[in-house]
Amino acid sequence: MNGGGGHMSGEGGESRGGESGSRPTITLEDLDAFNEDDFDSDLCRSGWADGVNDAMEEEGQDRLLNYWQDIGREHHVQIPQDMAQPIQQLTSDTESMTDREKVPFTLITCKENYEKRVYNQASWACITVREDTYEQSICAGFMKLMRYICQQNTSGNYLGMTLPIVTVVRTDDSRSSLSRDVTVAYYLPSQHQDQPPTPFDPDITMETWPATVIYSRSFSGPTTETSILGEIHALGEVLDSPQLCVSESFIVAGYTSPAAAHRHNEVWFLEHC
């Protein structure tokens, strides 16, 4: 990736406020006690079931939005009401990660602490954000990409979630701090690779990233400036030839929702061409 964008070239409580007023909730015990045989088919035919499903979907959207708004407030990021449907759609789409299309690569080397891979040229939707903190930048960037994925594009369709969502981060020479400029990028699904739908948001750019050799190290937990800098140092220490990698630009790849309890992440170093 280069410093001007996201190219892979290396230059450059419970519910946490999630309950909505006094709205009733459905517990696990309610679901366990439910018997499909007791559900009157006349009620189904009358449309009552559809009304219940619509109400449950609306409640689910509200609760998810409130949860994400709480997360946003922790990082001083405002998440507007119109994000309810995109959040609900993407959350349900990422619940089963095994069904999500992943960015394809060829594995070259697999060692105890890292992998060496080759990623082919591909189309990505990218946005570069500059906020006061790294966490604020990735939240703001991801919200914009969610809108693009969820129909705010020239196809008018939901594009589908792919994994991972990546962020390009840059450090100072000593690798002791991150730049406030963070690029968040979304890999276009295979059916959209040749002709990516154009985003309505002018801040989002469509970029073609060239084929790249990367070194990847997995880690778990939240992605904060402190944890990312620690993982960058850790990967640099285990590489056989760290001089092959870029000095100031790195990629953080996220395979799970930022709201997930158990996060699967990777840090990527990019090999010099």
Side-chain angles (χ1 to χ4, degrees), residues 256-270:
T256 46
S257 164
H262 303 286
R263 302 273 296 278
H264 171 206
N265 313 299
E266 293 175 344
V267 60
W268 295 356
F269 280 20
L270 312 177

Side-chain angles (χ1 to χ4, degrees), residues 81-269:
Q81 187 70 32
D82 65 1
M83 288 303 299
Q85 185 174 359
I87 288 173
Q88 195 263 354
Q89 193 163 20
L90 285 181
T91 300
S92 63
D93 196 34
T94 55
E95 285 178 349
S96 176
M97 289 196 307
T98 56
D99 295 335
R100 305 285 71 77
E101 181 177 353
K102 296 180 176 64
V103 183
F105 65 85
T106 300
L107 180 63
I108 304 301
T109 304
C110 182
K111 296 197 174 184
E112 182 179 0
N113 295 314
Y114 72 90
E115 293 182 351
K116 181 179 180 180
R117 308 169 180 166
V118 175
Y119 285 83
N120 294 330
Q121 175 178 299
S123 296
W124 295 73
C126 308
I127 182 167
T128 299
V129 184
R130 182 182 179 88
E131 299 290 345
D132 291 339
T133 68
Y134 167 78
E135 291 85 358
Q136 290 175 346
S137 294
I138 60 172
C139 283
F142 186 55
M143 289 299 146
K144 283 180 169 284
L145 286 179
M146 285 174 69
R147 289 189 175 96
Y148 168 67
I149 296 168
C150 295
Q151 301 182 351
Q152 290 194 15
N153 59 74
T154 51
S155 76
N157 297 318
Y158 171 60
L159 302 182
M161 194 63 189
T162 60
L163 297 173
I165 293 290
V166 306
T167 56
V168 184
V169 298
R170 301 159 186 89
T171 69
D172 56 12
D173 292 339
S174 64
R175 297 182 183 174
S176 60
S177 65
L178 296 180
S179 167
R180 296 283 74 82
D181 292 319
V182 175
T183 299
V184 187
Y186 158 74
Y187 173 81
L188 272 296
S190 54
Q191 67 268 31
H192 298 299
Q193 276 291 310
D194 292 337
Q195 293 184 312
T198 301
F200 294 157
D201 188 337
D203 292 336
I204 298 175
T205 61
M206 309 309 300
E207 300 182 4
T208 300
W209 293 2
T212 308
V213 175
I214 71 103
Y215 298 84
S216 172
R217 172 183 167 89
S218 296
F219 67 100
S220 59
T223 53
T224 64
E225 180 167 354
T226 300
S227 67
I228 290 170
L229 289 170
E231 294 300 328
I232 288 173
H233 284 291
L235 181 53
E237 290 175 355
V238 301
L239 285 178
D240 296 332
S241 302
Q243 70 273 12
L244 294 175
C245 302
V246 298
S247 59
E248 78 284 356
S249 297
F250 308 91
I251 290 178
V252 180
Y255 290 85
T256 46
S257 164
H262 303 286
R263 302 273 296 278
H264 171 206
N265 313 299
E266 293 175 344
V267 60
W268 295 356
F269 280 20

Side-chain angles (χ1 to χ4, degrees), residues 45-63:
R45 287 193 294 269
S46 71
W48 181 87
D50 291 338
V52 171
N53 288 336
D54 290 343
M56 289 176 64
E57 182 176 355
E58 180 181 354
E59 178 178 353
Q61 286 186 7
D62 289 344
R63 296 178 67 183

Side-chain angles (χ1 to χ4, degrees), residues 8-50:
M8 285 193 182
S9 63
E11 299 171 7
E14 184 70 27
S15 91
R16 307 176 59 164
E19 300 297 343
S20 180
S22 60
R23 188 178 301 206
T25 59
I26 297 175
T27 66
L28 291 176
E29 289 78 8
D30 295 329
L31 295 176
D32 288 339
F34 179 79
N35 185 336
E36 290 184 356
D37 293 336
D38 295 335
F39 197 75
D40 195 305
S41 60
D42 289 338
L43 291 177
C44 294
R45 287 193 294 269
S46 71
W48 181 87
D50 291 338

